[in-house]
Amino acid sequence: MIVGIDLGTTNSLVAVWREGAAELVPNALDNLLTPSVVGLDDEGRILVGLAAKERLQTHPHLTAALFKRHMGSAHELQLGHRRFRPEELSSMVLRSLKEDVERRYGEPVTEAVISVPAYFNDAQRKATKIAGELAGLKVERLINEPTAAALAYGLHQRDAASSFLVFDLGGGTFDVSILELFDGVMEVRASAGDNYLGGEDFDDLLVQAFVAAQAGSQDLPPLTEPDIAHRLRREAERVRHALGQSDSATFVLRHGDRQWQQVFTQTQLADLYGPLLARLRTPIETALRDARIRPSELDEVLLVGGTTRMPLIRRMVAGLFGRFPSITLNPDESIALGAAVQAALKARDAALEEVVLTDVCPYTLGIETALNVGESVEVGHYTPIIERNSVVPVSRVKSFRTVHDHQRHVILRVYQGESRWVKENIHLGEMEIDVPMAPAGEIELEVRFTYDNNGLLEAETLVSRTGERRSLVIENNPGVLSPEEIQARLASLAQLKVHPRDQQVNSLLTARLERLYQENLGELRQQLDHMANRFKQVLDSQDDRAIRDLRVQLMRQLDELEQGVWQ
Ligand code: AMP
């Protein structure tokens, strides 16, 4: 069986093609969205999804999230005593989704079409395929997320040439893509975005507004303490969602026996979010410019990503494009549905051809430089040569001068990263270049960086006075595992025990009780402690019916508590 998977930064989903339509498959908790969060439970077993997400706050050292941001790099995340590569953590999410489908349909899932952002480069795409392989899935095809959304809307069936804009605003990222369909080929004409703009930024602003409104209040708890900061963000998200349904909503912070609250209206929200809405415009304009297309020439505008459920965003998009965007599908579901459409097309040997033009260099590349500070020379500065997100292939040159009198050579140290200081960036390689002796500043060195489609970086130097050239080739692919490494990772992953699927609902409740216990104080805390003890006792009794009854009752009470109904 072949499935379509949306492997998202915050949430992942899986869909299958059944009886002529794409259909999402719920997980063990009966939810369609599985948070892309992986953790270790108290027995050291792998826990994936909502129960792991609940433990992000109570067990931060045993839980990992947002690892999609590191795909294609060698950055490892620590869980307990072990370190994991981003593709290993992604493979655990994929495996969990694969099992959800296998449980439901009683058939083995062997193959998957997985979606990736249009701007993912070669290393990031390879890492995604390897994640599939580590999960026991053959991934013959990746599909660009905006293309998947277009497929879910059936746009590939259009006869005439068409252009679409996909506006994808998720929890932490914003992507705009312009697609063109011509003769059965879907092309990503342009893609632009902001990797640090999403629902969470809207929540941060609301938290700031709440804190500002409470400035004069007495005895406010320490708002920057991680526990309280986390709760404020959760509450902001709840209020933001509620404001999509009603004109006003109350932001509540409880601490001990006290509570602070503030009513927010839709109008206030529109003012508050003005600066973020303005930031959304830049990538849209860039994408339109890069694709050389005017808004009036677009045949459809699609909304993708959970944050586009906000009426404010929908109104803004309608205003910008002078038309209502397509929203007949749930914005957080269309990518997985589209991946399943591609899987079905592939099974029939009719897969949609896709052309990707956009490939970018995902990190800034530069060298170490020294600065004259007064009498002394300060080393360790980072000078970028190729800026991140430059479309590849790209070549850039900068000139530098010697800093010491009569220096005999220059050491060119190449780094990747975004910090001003090389020690916080990644060292990629170095070479020593001889220079003629001369007073400081007299000798000029030209440094050219060329980054190609395969992730190869070539650093070339030219000493102007002597005309001498040197070159250093760096294979900038620390992010891609070799076939031998993949086999080794597969073997070590096979050793890990996985949290039993049928216990997930109970673990979720236990984790939620623990989180709420940490978040609250006083009498409420005692009640939560009592609830947790009761649940533990019933779990120990192994009486399935009693466990289920109490679980349902407690979940309902906790829902009420979190919605502010239960005091
Ligand atoms: P995604 O990355 O597409 O899963 O989107 C996750 C983001 O969608 C989070 O920031 C959520 O707060 C946001 N989101 C989900 N549902 C809603 C809603 N009803 N209203 C506003 N934002 C939502």
Side-chain angles (χ1 to χ4, degrees):
M1 191 176 198
I2 168 166
V3 297
I5 294 180
D6 169 5
L7 185 60
T9 310
T10 29
N11 293 300
S12 296
L13 299 92
V14 60
V16 294
W17 184 265
R18 310 262 318 165
E19 292 164 16
E23 183 180 297
L24 292 162
V25 182
N27 61 22
L29 302 171
D30 219 18
N31 296 333
L32 296 177
L33 269 66
T34 297
S36 307
V37 183
V38 173
L40 294 178
D41 70 8
D42 295 333
E43 270 108 75
R45 297 171 302 191
I46 297 292
L47 186 61
V48 174
L50 192 56
K53 186 177 170 188
E54 284 286 356
R55 288 165 62 92
L56 260 181
Q57 189 183 335
T58 50
H59 300 79
H61 305 301
L62 295 178
T63 322
L66 301 177
F67 33 85
K68 183 173 172 180
R69 289 199 196 277
H70 302 291
M71 287 291 264
S73 79
H75 179 97
E76 292 188 325
L77 293 98
Q78 183 102 24
L79 282 191
H81 301 300
R82 280 194 58 163
R83 296 171 74 78
F84 290 95
R85 304 235 338 168
E87 53 271 59
E88 288 181 287
L89 296 167
S90 298
S91 82
M92 295 172 194
V93 176
L94 292 173
R95 191 173 283 274
S96 171
L97 299 173
K98 170 180 179 312
E99 279 173 18
D100 290 333
V101 178
E102 288 174 340
R103 286 291 178 114
R104 190 168 180 96
Y105 297 109
E107 275 178 54
V109 172
T110 49
E111 229 181 291
V113 171
I114 303 179
S115 62
V116 289
Y119 60 79
F120 254 28
N121 68 357
D122 189 56
Q124 291 167 303
R125 284 168 197 262
K126 283 197 179 118
T128 308
K129 282 193 161 186
I130 291 171
E133 204 175 317
L134 293 175
L137 288 167
K138 196 163 111 203
V139 187
E140 274 197 2
R141 234 188 145 96
L142 298 172
I143 183 167
N144 288 302
E145 288 168 2
T147 308
L151 257 57
Y153 275 95
L155 300 185
H156 57 297
Q157 290 157 346
R158 300 209 166 181
D159 291 334
S162 322
S163 301
F164 321 114
L165 182 139
V166 180
F167 179 106
D168 181 353
L169 186 63
T173 54
F174 175 46
D175 302 316
V176 185
S177 311
I178 296 189
L179 306 181
E180 206 168 77
L181 176 72
F182 186 75
D183 264 356
V185 175
M186 186 85 80
E187 185 180 352
V188 180
R189 284 284 309 277
S191 93
D194 189 333
N195 270 339
Y196 293 92
L197 178 57
E200 285 155 23
D201 299 278
F202 288 78
D203 297 333
D204 285 346
L205 270 189
L206 196 53
V207 167
Q208 284 170 25
F210 174 77
V211 170
Q214 299 300 323
S217 303
Q218 299 282 307
D219 308 328
L220 267 182
L223 300 175
T224 48
E225 195 191 286
D227 247 22
I228 306 229
H230 193 86
R231 266 157 68 190
L232 285 170
R233 285 183 95 179
R234 285 180 74 101
E235 179 64 0
E237 187 176 27
R238 189 192 65 76
V239 170
R240 183 166 59 83
H241 291 196
L243 279 167
Q245 314 287 330
S246 54
D247 284 341
S248 68
T250 310
F251 192 124
V252 183
L253 171 67
R254 277 195 210 83
H255 188 68
D257 300 332
R258 297 209 42 199
Q259 70 175 36
W260 297 262
Q261 58 188 52
Q262 182 71 31
V263 174
F264 285 98
T265 63
Q266 288 234 14
T267 320
Q268 278 173 307
L269 222 61
D271 288 342
L272 184 66
Y273 289 155
L276 286 182
L277 297 183
R279 271 176 68 193
L280 292 170
R281 285 168 180 262
T282 317
I284 298 175
E285 284 159 8
T286 308
L288 288 168
R289 203 169 43 236
D290 288 358
R292 296 200 189 83
I293 193 164
R294 282 194 296 272
S296 58
E297 291 168 325
L298 292 166
D299 294 286
E300 293 280 348
V301 175
L302 304 184
L303 291 188
V304 178
T307 310
T308 63
R309 286 177 187 260
M310 287 169 70
L312 206 59
I313 302 281
R314 296 188 170 187
R315 278 202 298 276
M316 180 202 114
V317 174
L320 268 181
F321 296 100
R323 78 180 74 190
F324 287 104
S326 301
I327 43 167
T328 46
L329 297 173
N330 282 329
D332 26 25
E333 297 174 357
S334 56
I335 293 176
L337 292 171
V341 174
Q342 177 67 279
L345 287 170
K346 183 178 173 297
R348 280 195 279 120
D349 252 0
L352 183 93
E353 289 304 317
E354 216 194 336
V355 186
V356 193
L357 281 188
T358 315
D359 202 357
V360 294
C361 160
Y363 318 100
T364 298
L365 299 165
I367 61 167
E368 177 176 7
T369 46
L371 262 189
N372 285 314
V373 183
E375 293 291 287
S376 60
V377 172
E378 193 177 83
V379 293
H381 286 266
Y382 180 57
T383 302
I385 295 186
I386 293 180
E387 303 267 44
R388 73 162 179 272
N389 279 334
S390 304
V391 174
V392 296
V394 56
S395 189
R396 296 269 185 277
V397 66
K398 274 196 180 161
S399 290
F400 300 89
R401 290 186 171 274
T402 47
V403 283
H404 297 292
D405 286 337
H406 313 302
Q407 91 183 63
R408 287 165 170 269
H409 40 245
V410 171
I411 299 178
L412 184 85
R413 292 197 176 91
V414 180
Y415 288 84
Q416 100 182 10
E418 313 305 324
S419 168
R420 290 174 56 226
W421 302 101
V422 291
K423 67 176 190 301
E424 286 160 18
N425 292 330
I426 299 169
H427 179 246
L428 296 178
E430 61 185 65
M431 67 173 163
E432 198 176 289
I433 300 138
D434 294 333
V435 289
M437 286 206 293
E442 272 202 8
I443 297 297
E444 189 191 46
L445 186 74
E446 235 177 47
V447 180
R448 174 178 288 280
F449 273 19
T450 307
Y451 188 86
D452 74 6
N453 282 322
N454 302 316
L456 280 186
L457 170 68
E458 183 177 11
E460 248 188 311
T461 57
L462 167 68
V463 181
S464 310
R465 185 170 291 183
T466 60
E468 197 181 321
R469 289 177 191 273
R470 292 281 305 277
S471 150
L472 172 73
V473 175
I474 297 166
E475 196 168 348
N476 183 22
N477 251 347
V480 180
L481 292 175
S482 66
E484 298 75 43
E485 285 171 316
I486 296 174
Q487 288 312 316
R489 301 271 164 169
L490 261 173
S492 81
L493 285 175
Q495 308 285 318
L496 294 174
K497 294 208 169 34
V498 177
H499 186 88
R501 189 186 148 90
D502 55 4
Q503 287 174 25
Q504 273 194 35
V505 264
N506 295 333
S507 311
L508 171 64
L509 177 56
T510 307
R512 196 172 173 199
L513 281 162
E514 270 185 52
R515 171 175 61 79
L516 287 165
Y517 179 86
Q518 271 201 10
E519 284 182 0
N520 288 284
L521 286 173
E523 204 177 304
L524 205 52
R525 195 171 215 195
Q526 278 173 25
Q527 285 187 46
L528 287 160
D529 187 37
H530 176 67
M531 287 160 102
N533 289 334
R534 247 174 86 205
F535 190 54
K536 167 93 176 44
Q537 270 174 14
V538 176
L539 278 179
D540 289 344
S541 77
Q542 299 188 355
D543 175 344
D544 286 344
R545 177 135 192 197
I547 294 174
R548 196 191 57 216
D549 289 350
L550 184 61
R551 189 177 63 224
V552 171
Q553 182 200 330
L554 293 180
M555 275 291 189
R556 197 176 46 238
Q557 278 179 288
L558 297 187
D559 285 346
E560 286 174 4
L561 167 70
E562 296 215 78
Q563 282 154 17
V565 188
W566 187 42
Q567 299 291 326

